[in-house]
Amino acid sequence: QIDGIRESGLVNIAVLDYVAENIHAGMSTEDIDRLVAEKTKELGGIAAPLNYEGFPKSCCTSINEVVCHGIPSEEEILEEGDIINVDCTTILDGYYADASRMFIIGKTTPQKEKLVRVAKECLEVGMEAARPFGFVGDIGHAVEKHAKKNGFSVVRDLCGHGVGVEFHEEPDVEHFGKRGTGMLIVPGMTFTIEPMINMGTYEVFVDEADGWTVCTDDGLPSAQWENMILITETGNEILTY
Ligand code: MF3
Ligand code: CO
Ligand code: CO
């Protein structure tokens, strides 16, 4: 299973790299969706989001105050200064890989730039805390500490998750919490860490019109990075680098 998940991770990375090479101001989020669908297919994979619990597109595109699960649309055009998360989940030979990255469109404000950087650092400190025979709460603790130190908040309503044989498995990987709590981490586990970091309040709501788009309550920006990792005997291996 781990070999299969690792292979799926390689396709997932290639898809995100393809988005990175082609994303630019003036394109629509539907254009991004097309890139993801095309590249995934070309590499023999399936984009997991399409039709997942009714989700209508092949990836999630979440701009500025959209926290996650933004739905690609022909009407939504990338503008200079936007920050956007593109979240791709790949199925290859039945195995799932899940990762997302932020992209800054042209030049943005120093505050948004900092948010994107700190969110990435939050993922990094979370990955460092994911050790064999530690606890899932160690990860949340590390992420929350780093976000708070930088004056930002951590979304509490959504979390990372086990992944590999299915899209979402146990355990829930919360991005806040206490050291030494939650599930024991053991070698062979594969899960995501995907902190959503907000400039203002951690509170979010789901857009009632589409039932998916998660937005910050205060309309301030949010940033997220996601990796899928494998716990090894000595630490962890990033399966989506
Ligand atoms: N990729 C998201 C995650 O990190 C889940 C998206 S569900 C979808 O867990 F249906 F919106 F694609
Ligand atoms: Co995920
Ligand atoms: Co994801």
Side-chain angles (χ1 to χ4, degrees):
Q1 287 177 337
I2 287 168
D3 288 342
I5 296 164
R6 191 180 278 117
E7 284 298 311
S8 185
L10 295 178
V11 173
N12 187 265
I13 297 165
V15 171
L16 282 166
D17 285 347
Y18 187 59
V19 171
E21 283 159 24
N22 289 287
I23 197 165
H24 60 83
M27 82 196 297
S28 70
T29 48
E30 179 78 33
D31 292 332
I32 297 173
D33 195 69
R34 240 174 264 132
L35 294 173
V36 169
E38 276 168 24
K39 197 61 171 180
T40 305
K41 194 167 167 219
E42 182 192 318
L43 297 174
I46 298 166
L50 187 62
N51 300 321
Y52 174 76
E53 293 184 8
F55 192 80
K57 298 287 172 177
S58 296
C59 66
C60 299
T61 51
S62 305
I63 300 178
N64 299 329
E65 77 285 358
V66 178
V67 173
C68 63
H69 302 169
I71 302 175
S73 153
E74 208 74 75
E75 264 103 75
E76 191 176 44
I77 307 296
L78 297 189
E79 286 174 24
E80 174 90 9
D82 281 344
I83 58 170
I84 177 173
N85 174 279
V86 179
D87 192 335
C88 294
T89 309
T90 306
I91 313 172
L92 186 74
D93 299 327
Y95 294 106
Y96 287 77
D98 186 15
S100 77
R101 300 180 195 163
M102 292 299 296
F103 301 97
I104 297 174
I105 305 305
K107 202 173 153 42
T108 194
T109 64
Q111 264 303 86
K112 280 162 96 174
E113 213 173 271
K114 180 183 170 192
L115 182 70
V116 170
R117 172 176 56 81
V118 170
K120 189 176 192 189
E121 291 166 358
C122 282
L123 170 57
E124 285 160 358
V125 299
M127 291 190 299
E128 275 162 36
R131 321 281 314 169
F133 310 110
F135 294 86
V136 170
D138 302 350
I139 301 168
H141 175 81
V143 169
E144 186 178 25
K145 194 171 138 198
H146 190 71
K148 281 190 172 161
K149 194 172 83 187
N150 284 281
F152 297 140
S153 68
V154 177
V155 172
R156 304 174 79 89
D157 290 356
L158 299 116
C159 55
H161 51 92
V163 61
V165 175
E166 292 185 51
F167 199 156
H168 294 107
E169 303 173 19
E170 279 194 292
D172 282 351
V173 181
E174 290 179 330
H175 303 105
F176 59 94
K178 285 199 174 73
R179 265 195 212 123
T181 65
M183 193 184 279
L184 180 70
I185 298 173
V186 296
M189 288 172 85
T190 52
F191 56 81
T192 73
I193 305 176
E194 49 181 300
M196 286 145 270
I197 307 300
N198 292 357
M199 202 180 278
T201 180
Y202 67 85
E203 303 262 22
V204 301
F205 69 95
V206 179
D207 183 348
E208 273 177 36
D210 65 29
W212 280 101
T213 309
V214 179
C215 304
T216 59
D217 255 8
D218 57 12
L220 290 176
S222 181
Q224 176 182 31
W225 293 78
E226 173 176 26
N227 268 331
M228 176 178 73
I229 63 170
L230 164 70
I231 302 300
T232 63
E233 295 290 337
T234 53
N236 65 63
E237 179 187 332
I238 301 164
L239 300 177
T240 47
Y241 252 4

